[in-house]
Amino acid sequence: MNALMAVLLILTAISGLGVVFSRQAIYSALSLVLTVGLLAVVFLVLNAQFLFVVQLIVYAGAVVVLFIFIIALLDPAAEERPRLTDPRLLLGVLAIAGICTAVYIAASDGITYDTACTTQSASCMHAYAVGGAADWTDFTERPAADPYNTFGFPENAVNRAGNVQTVANQLFHTYVLPFEITSLLLLVAAIGAVYLTRRTHTGVRRLPPAGEMVMDGPGEDD
Amino acid sequence: MLSQAMFPWILLTAAYLFSLGALGVLIRRNPLVVFMSIELMLNAVNLALVGYSSFLSSEEGQVFAFMVIVVAAAEVVVGLGLLTRVFSIGRELDVDDLDELKR
């Protein structure tokens, strides 16, 4: 599982390069499909089965298809690839390297958690309650050799509760108000998209070129 | 089974994807690719959230990642609507050219 995760992370990193550095927008979109699909598998390995499905449906199924539709519709021209000696690109690559180094160092050394659950702390008990463990004895049933070998939930706890059930439990109890607000967000986004792409009676309005642009209200026809 | 030593690498990949997306937003001129880079950044945040969720044995990170996916979908709908609008009024698709708000 470790090797699988390493391969997935490396492939994700490479396909992410394709999104940013492809000359044609359609290749960026296809690299985005690959990145999103690989991240979905990463979610699966991380025991987030619900998000695996949501990621595939929403991103690969809706967002990227929308991107490809718009690319086919607008047919944007290919861009020049930035030269490798461009100082701005070098600065960006240096910034990426610095951020990655800082995060890796912080994640390896700087953060300490009670992951071994050596004490019966509240967070450890909470984790096992969410995972479906009945009481503390379930918690101590783990094999002694590699006590945290499952990276999160012990397998039996996951299988007992189920990822969708536990996520739904959080989503519809603790976070029910934010969940309802997302429905409002989607409604506003849909109305905004309809408003932006609507046609006026006289057909498509033509705005003057950027230099002599006059700011009109959105409802007026030229 | 996934060992705990993988966790810093997951965070590292998330940081890498996020900064790569930020670089794409800064250096690309096609607004479609800029949107895709923003999607990459949102996905990187999702990866960090799910990694922490799995690492800390808590479902809350997955709930937040779900919210991020919803926001990303809404953002793409509005952004691509804007782009088709910009294109239909006869403007070229270039983020350096679309600077009316600076005037």
Side-chain angles (χ1 to χ4, degrees):
Chain A
M1 203 64 100
N2 278 330
L4 174 65
M5 181 55 110
V7 169
L8 283 173
L9 291 181
I10 291 169
L11 287 180
T12 312
I14 294 171
S15 61
L17 284 176
V19 177
V20 175
F21 293 109
S22 294
R23 287 187 63 225
Q24 299 273 1
I26 187 77
Y27 293 147
S28 290
L30 294 178
S31 299
L32 187 63
V33 177
L34 192 60
T35 313
V36 163
L38 286 167
L39 278 178
V41 182
V42 170
F43 291 171
L44 192 60
V45 177
L46 286 174
N47 268 333
Q49 290 90 350
F50 174 65
L51 276 184
F52 160 72
V53 175
V54 168
Q55 173 97 351
L56 280 186
I57 291 176
V58 173
Y59 271 105
V63 168
V64 180
V65 169
L66 204 57
F67 267 120
I68 290 176
F69 268 141
I70 297 295
I71 289 169
L73 192 67
L74 304 188
D75 191 21
E79 281 181 56
E80 289 178 25
R81 190 175 277 126
R83 290 188 312 280
L84 285 179
T85 54
D86 192 338
R88 288 172 296 179
L89 184 66
L90 286 178
L91 201 63
V93 171
L94 273 181
I96 290 180
I99 290 171
C100 291
T101 313
V103 167
Y104 182 74
I105 290 172
S108 325
D109 303 333
I111 309 175
T112 53
Y113 304 103
D114 186 19
T115 48
C117 281
T118 49
T119 58
Q120 296 192 5
S121 64
S123 62
C124 289
M125 279 309 286
H126 170 71
Y128 276 83
V130 171
D135 55 13
W136 188 254
T137 53
D138 280 356
F139 177 67
T140 52
E141 277 172 3
R142 290 172 299 143
D146 188 5
Y148 241 73
N149 58 357
T150 55
F151 197 84
F153 294 115
E155 271 176 304
N156 55 353
V158 171
N159 292 338
R160 209 179 307 161
N163 178 258
V164 178
Q165 282 87 344
T166 42
V167 171
N169 190 37
Q170 292 277 326
L171 203 56
F172 294 117
H173 286 106
T174 318
Y175 297 104
V176 66
L177 185 63
F179 180 75
E180 294 297 332
I181 292 174
T182 54
S183 67
L184 192 66
L185 175 75
L186 287 175
L187 181 68
V188 170
I191 292 173
V194 169
Y195 176 78
L196 283 170
T197 52
R198 82 195 192 291
R199 281 175 176 273
T200 53
H201 293 299
T202 54
V204 177
R205 280 179 288 140
R206 294 274 168 191
L207 292 187
E212 54 214 67
M213 174 98 181
V214 183
M215 285 299 181
D216 282 339
E220 298 173 25
D221 283 345
D222 292 342
Chain B
M1 288 297 104
L2 211 54
S3 84
Q4 232 178 299
M6 287 306 288
F7 179 62
W9 294 103
I10 292 170
L11 279 192
L12 172 69
T13 310
Y16 163 79
L17 283 180
F18 188 89
S19 44
L20 192 65
L23 182 69
V25 170
L26 290 176
I27 69 171
R28 292 307 295 257
R29 305 178 67 186
N30 186 341
L32 281 164
V33 183
V34 170
F35 270 120
M36 285 183 225
S37 300
I38 293 174
E39 293 302 311
L40 201 62
M41 292 164 79
L42 290 166
N43 265 301
V45 173
N46 276 350
L47 177 60
L49 281 172
V50 176
Y52 264 112
S53 157
S54 186
F55 183 67
L56 298 178
S57 303
S58 162
E59 296 287 336
E60 296 182 354
Q62 297 182 26
V63 176
F64 290 161
F66 178 74
M67 299 290 178
V68 171
I69 288 176
V70 171
V71 170
E75 175 243 329
V76 162
V77 167
V78 174
L80 292 182
L82 265 175
L83 284 189
T84 52
R85 188 74 189 154
V86 165
F87 188 76
S88 73
I89 61 175
R91 300 287 302 278
E92 200 159 332
L93 283 182
D94 188 334
V95 290
D96 292 341
D97 196 31
L98 301 170
D99 55 356
E100 275 78 18
L101 290 181
K102 284 202 304 194
R103 292 164 197 275

